[in-house]
Amino acid sequence: MSPFLAYFNVIFSLFPHRFLATGNSFASLHFEFLLGTSTISRIVRHTCQVIWEQLRETVMPQPKVDDWLRIAEGFNLSAQFPNCLGAMDGKHIRVKKPPHSGSRFFNYKHFFYIVLMAVADSNYKFIMVDIGAYGSTADARIFSASRMGERLRANQLAIPESRRLPGSADPPAPFVFVADEGFALTNHVMRPFTKRGLDVRRRIYNYRLTRARRYVECAFGILSSKWRVFLSSIQMDSENATRVIQECVVLHNFTRIHEASSSVDLDDFPTTTVLSLDRTLHRRPGTAGIAVRE
């Protein structure tokens, strides 16, 4: 390969990740790399798509039964919440107003957002994601309409059979995902009790569920601190912004897997780094979910 081609190969592979890591605009990259903004835009889009397609099955494969059991063991050791398959939440990511979109992407923060709905394990890795929902949509509705929500309802996630909680003689309890009050309570999705009139047993349950749920919030914090493109509005249309988010998600998992030290202090990534979703939609919990939580 000639030095000329080698130079441009390095440049073309460098500035898409410079865009993700710094959040610099295409105009800024234009002056830095002396390339046209339209050329930079095309290369960033293509690079994001290729990395998502090549890394997704490697760093974020669909979990099997053994994988779910290993994830549950991690939550039991780190958060003392047994039978937990993952912490679930949504992150609002600010984007440029899509044309002719009305108020679909406009939320209570008075900006335009798309939503990254994710499930994370106790190592701050993303297990499943759904990207691109309207920012005006509540989290319960986003999850219900997502592919992972549909597969959960259809029992297509290879979730392990119910088993007894450690040290308990009660009937076997199902494996669950933990979430906040914005999600519907079902037999596989647990949320906290309301804060009124709690006895000691329910307070302990809320405390441990919150400890487990913080892992997804800290995963969002790590994602934003490493890929600073999320600290400001992504100046791309919603389709290309989705590609950027997809690449950052798989690169986040890649670094979590391959970093020499993967230990993270929860206090280093406060929950305020995660934008809360709209809580106006509260579905009445199902009797199955109430029985599991009790």
Side-chain angles (χ1 to χ4, degrees), residues 48-264:
C48 291
Q49 184 68 25
V50 170
I51 290 180
W52 167 257
E53 293 173 352
Q54 295 298 318
L55 287 183
R56 180 183 180 183
E57 294 300 325
T58 302
V59 302
M60 197 171 57
Q62 172 61 44
K64 299 180 174 57
V65 173
D66 292 340
D67 300 320
W68 287 125
L69 292 174
R70 185 165 54 252
I71 292 170
E73 183 63 23
F75 275 103
N76 190 28
L77 292 175
S78 60
Q80 290 75 55
F81 198 99
N83 287 24
C84 178
L85 300 179
M88 180 167 56
D89 205 352
K91 176 177 175 60
H92 281 197
I93 297 173
R94 187 175 169 186
V95 297
K96 181 177 67 174
K97 180 185 182 302
H100 312 297
S101 61
S103 61
R104 288 176 294 179
F105 293 90
F106 193 77
N107 76 348
Y108 67 99
K109 293 287 185 179
H110 304 295
F111 291 105
F112 296 89
Y113 292 89
I114 59 177
V115 180
L116 164 61
M117 182 68 62
V119 177
D121 65 13
S122 60
N123 193 35
Y124 313 100
K125 292 188 304 184
F126 296 115
I127 307 170
M128 300 182 294
V129 296
D130 181 83
I131 305 169
Y134 299 141
S136 61
T137 309
D139 49 0
R141 192 168 297 163
I142 292 173
F143 176 71
S144 178
S146 68
R147 177 63 175 161
M148 53 186 174
E150 293 175 352
R151 296 187 67 186
L152 179 62
R153 290 193 298 272
N155 295 320
Q156 296 177 348
L157 292 180
I159 292 177
E161 295 293 332
S162 302
R163 69 178 181 184
R164 285 190 174 89
L165 302 180
S168 172
D170 294 334
F175 286 84
V176 298
F177 299 95
V178 295
D180 59 20
E181 298 90 340
F183 289 82
L185 178 66
T186 69
N187 60 332
H188 285 300
V189 177
M190 291 291 103
R191 71 181 189 186
F193 288 100
T194 56
K195 297 181 180 180
R196 295 182 179 178
L198 296 180
D199 56 21
V200 174
R201 184 173 60 92
R202 292 187 174 187
R203 287 182 180 179
I204 294 174
Y205 166 85
N206 277 5
Y207 169 71
R208 293 193 177 183
L209 184 142
T210 301
R211 287 188 63 183
R213 191 178 62 81
R214 284 185 66 186
Y215 282 94
V216 67
E217 297 188 353
C218 291
F220 287 146
I222 296 169
L223 181 74
S224 296
S225 64
K226 190 178 292 291
W227 308 108
R228 301 179 70 83
V229 68
F230 295 122
L231 299 185
S232 60
S233 176
I234 301 177
Q235 294 301 306
M236 306 173 77
D237 59 58
S238 58
E239 180 181 354
N240 291 320
T242 297
R243 293 178 181 175
V244 168
I245 299 168
Q246 288 174 337
E247 180 184 4
C248 290
V249 165
V250 295
L251 290 178
H252 167 88
N253 277 13
F254 182 86
T255 56
R256 294 302 304 164
I257 293 171
H258 293 88
E259 279 178 346
S261 174
S262 59
S263 60
V264 175

Side-chain angles (χ1 to χ4, degrees), residues 183-186 191 281-287 290:
F183 289 82
L185 178 66
T186 69
R191 71 181 189 186
L281 177 62
H282 291 276
R283 297 184 177 181
R284 184 178 297 277
T287 56
I290 294 176

